[in-house]
Amino acid sequence: MSLRRDRLQIVNDILLSIQEKGGKIKPTHLLYKSNLAHNKMKLYLNELIEKDLIKEVDESGNKYYCLTENGIKFINEFKKIREFVDSFGL
Amino acid sequence: MGISLVFSPIWFFGYDSVLDLISFVITMLIGFYSYKIYKLTGKKNYFYLYLAFLLLSIALVVKSFANLSLYFDLLHRIGVRDTRLFGYQMAALALFGHVLLTLLGYITLIALTLKLKGKRIVSLLFFLVILTVLLAKNSFMFFHLISFALVLLYVTPYFYENYMNVKNVKALLVFLCFLFLSFSHLFLALVFYNNYLYVIGIILQMAGYLMLLINLLLVFKK
């Protein structure tokens, strides 16, 4: 895959950031880890919530983003695709 | 083409078709997975990979049925079976289709690996290759020799470089696949000298596609 991050790569990076934090992350941490501008990340997060890849939860007044089952499936599927694509060098 | 179309030793009749059918299934699997990636990412590269493997898979199934029909025809003539499927001319037409589809598949792969831009260049390449094969005195030998050269010189080095870059088993399997495929064509080109080379060629081809199957299984194992 190309070095420039495409949409799928960005989505995967966001989901991986959440997974690395044990499946739950604060918005500020996510913004820092995903390396995206605030408004752009907001758009991605809305789309991921809409597609049931992540969900927004409120715990003791703190907002978190959590990975859903579909989000985990996406990460696994993306990993397979990446391995296949890398083996062909495309 | 006007020459003998049966290259296999009698004891290998039918086995080659079975091996071709297995290779057909493998190339189909690779093709459809590439298509799935294309649909997901929208990247043209994966569409061309899908196209190349689709062409190779159709070429394999066409050859498999052509060979089966030839063997039944031959067995009919020597009185072993009284079943006649298509006959010699039908098989010759199918084998011609196999040649066209295989070369189209390889040229699609070359366009992909050499990053050739422009359909006109790719179509010119295809017509030149097809003309060379058709105008040759022994078309089948030339088809295999040209396929050997195309795969060995233009496709395999790309996958070798990729293996050297990523240094993992899956990339090695893809590189070995095309190396085996290229040499399978060399053995098949020399089949007019000894028909046992046909067996080696078909087994090498099968081994090549098995590498791709192992690659796919490794990807899906996790």
Side-chain angles (χ1 to χ4, degrees), chain A residues 90, chain B residues 34 38 43-55 105 108-109 111-112 116 119:
Chain A
L90 296 170
Chain B
S34 307
Y38 163 67
K43 287 189 176 175
K44 284 264 174 79
N45 274 358
Y46 311 126
F47 177 76
Y48 291 125
L49 190 64
Y50 153 70
L51 190 65
F53 277 99
L54 181 71
L55 288 164
T108 308
L109 274 176
L112 187 62
L116 293 181
K119 286 171 189 155

Side-chain angles (χ1 to χ4, degrees), chain A residues 2 14 16 24 28 36-37 41 46 57 62 68 77 80 90:
Chain A
S2 61
I14 292 172
L16 275 179
K24 193 170 82 174
T28 44
L36 283 171
M41 198 183 83
N46 287 339
V57 290
N62 291 319
T68 63
E77 193 60 35
K80 285 175 190 166
L90 296 170

Side-chain angles (χ1 to χ4, degrees), chain B residues 212-222:
Chain B
L212 286 189
L213 181 66
I214 296 168
N215 176 28
L216 204 59
L217 292 176
L218 285 175
V219 166
F220 280 96
K221 199 179 79 176
K222 290 164 191 171

Side-chain angles (χ1 to χ4, degrees), chain A residues 1-2 6 8 77 79-81 83-90, chain B residues 33 36-37 40-41 43 46 49 158-159 162 170 174 215 219 222:
Chain A
M1 284 188 192
S2 61
D6 55 30
L8 277 180
E77 193 60 35
K79 196 176 169 196
K80 285 175 190 166
I81 288 174
E83 282 182 19
F84 178 82
V85 165
D86 285 349
S87 71
F88 279 86
L90 296 170
Chain B
Y33 196 57
K36 188 183 167 186
I37 297 173
L40 210 66
T41 63
K43 287 189 176 175
Y46 311 126
L49 190 64
Y158 176 86
F159 294 114
N162 181 52
K170 295 181 200 88
V174 174
N215 176 28
V219 166
K222 290 164 191 171

